[in-house]
Amino acid sequence: SGLMLTGDQNIVNVQFSVAYQVSDPSAYLFDVSDPDGMLRQVAESAMREAVGRRPAQDIFRDDRQGIAASVREIIQTTLDGYKAGLNVNAVSIEDAAPPREVADAFDEVQRAEQDEDKFVEQANQYSNQKLGQARGEAAQIREDAAAYKNRVVQEAEGEAQRFISVYDEYAKAPDVTRKRLYLETMEKVLKDSSKVIVEQGNGQGVVPYLPLPALQPKAPAPAAPSGVTGGNQ
């Protein structure tokens, strides 16, 4: 444990522990003069090496487990080379913090990064919400277009079927069908028109006079303004 230099040139104070067991008692007792001291030095050297390859944020919060696994591997490889008879079970990073003199600045940086993560998450949520709305609106437009298409096709098919029916009737009895179509058309044209019927009688050749304007319905007279009455003063 102690002050260490990270890969992005920051200083961190790392506290860690190593869990190990004796795998070869003979080598542990006779091949190495101070196996525990050697383990301590190897572990600290391995931690410095691993921390020196990583940015400060990895040791602070982002990848402590990855660093610990890398340190355990380095320690075990080194001990096996020395034939120390030790087996490293685990490495645990208990604490990692900036030096006391710059702790406030590091905390400010971490808060800024946390705010950045929060803003990114909010932006992603907003993006997903808008995309969902856009997809829903697009689906609704497609459904409306399909419904409109079906309605227009059905109307066109109905008109075509009616035309075919009229043609079939016309082919069977052209005169009758022609007269029926004429009467139906005149009925539509004259339905909302004012009609004057002149009965043909004697006096052929004389053009009858009809006061047509007098036969038209008169528009109601405008109402007198309120408060005004007629009469002599």
Side-chain angles (χ1 to χ4, degrees), residues 75-101:
I75 294 174
Q76 189 64 64
T77 301
T78 305
L79 293 177
D80 291 345
Y82 288 140
K83 297 181 180 180
L86 296 175
N87 184 48
V88 179
N89 296 327
V91 174
S92 176
I93 299 176
E94 299 172 353
D95 187 28
R100 186 178 306 171
E101 295 79 5

Side-chain angles (χ1 to χ4, degrees), residues 15-16 34 45 58 62 70 72-73 113 141 153 160 211 214 233:
Q15 304 292 328
F16 69 99
D34 184 9
S45 176
D58 282 359
D62 291 347
S70 177
R72 192 200 72 79
E73 183 178 354
E113 291 179 348
I141 292 173
V153 170
Q233 297 293 333

Side-chain angles (χ1 to χ4, degrees), residues 2-4 6 10-15 56-57 59-61 64 95-110:
L3 297 177
M4 301 181 185
T6 65
N10 286 301
I11 298 176
V12 294
N13 188 3
V14 181
Q15 304 292 328
Q57 287 304 319
I59 188 65
F60 285 146
R61 62 170 186 170
R64 284 192 179 185
D95 187 28
R100 186 178 306 171
E101 295 79 5
V102 294
D104 292 340
F106 269 85
D107 291 342
E108 187 67 25
V109 171
Q110 286 190 316

Side-chain angles (χ1 to χ4, degrees), residues 31-218:
D31 292 349
V32 179
S33 60
D34 184 9
D36 292 337
M38 184 187 66
L39 174 61
R40 187 177 299 106
Q41 293 178 1
V42 169
E44 185 170 343
S45 176
M47 181 61 72
R48 291 184 184 278
E49 179 181 348
V51 170
R53 296 174 180 173
R54 302 292 193 95
Q57 287 304 319
D58 282 359
I59 188 65
F60 285 146
R61 62 170 186 170
D62 291 347
D63 194 22
R64 284 192 179 185
Q65 292 183 352
I67 293 175
S70 177
V71 170
R72 192 200 72 79
E73 183 178 354
I74 295 172
I75 294 174
Q76 189 64 64
T77 301
T78 305
L79 293 177
D80 291 345
Y82 288 140
K83 297 181 180 180
L86 296 175
N87 184 48
V88 179
N89 296 327
V91 174
S92 176
I93 299 176
E94 299 172 353
D95 187 28
R100 186 178 306 171
E101 295 79 5
V102 294
D104 292 340
F106 269 85
D107 291 342
E108 187 67 25
V109 171
Q110 286 190 316
R111 284 193 294 269
E113 291 179 348
Q114 291 173 358
D115 290 341
E116 179 186 6
D117 294 341
K118 180 181 69 176
F119 294 148
V120 169
E121 180 64 23
Q122 291 176 351
N124 290 334
Q125 292 178 357
Y126 179 79
S127 174
N128 293 333
Q129 178 184 2
K130 289 300 180 181
L131 286 175
Q133 292 177 354
R135 292 190 183 100
E137 292 175 358
Q140 184 63 43
I141 292 173
R142 287 194 296 269
E143 291 178 1
D144 293 343
Y148 175 77
K149 172 187 173 182
N150 293 334
R151 185 175 71 253
V152 171
V153 170
Q154 291 175 358
E155 291 176 355
E157 290 175 348
E159 292 292 336
Q161 188 61 41
R162 282 192 293 272
F163 179 81
I164 293 173
S165 300
V166 171
Y167 176 77
D168 291 341
E169 294 297 327
Y170 179 81
K172 295 177 182 178
D175 294 337
V176 175
T177 304
R178 189 183 302 112
K179 186 173 183 180
R180 180 172 65 83
L181 292 175
Y182 171 78
L183 293 176
E184 290 177 353
T185 303
M186 294 303 296
E187 180 182 3
K188 293 179 181 179
V189 172
L190 300 176
K191 179 175 62 175
D192 297 326
S193 302
S194 299
K195 306 171 192 61
V196 177
I197 300 175
V198 179
E199 182 179 0
Q200 185 176 3
N202 296 328
Q204 294 183 358
V206 178
V207 178
Y209 168 74
L210 291 176
L212 295 180
L215 297 177
Q216 300 296 326
K218 296 182 179 180

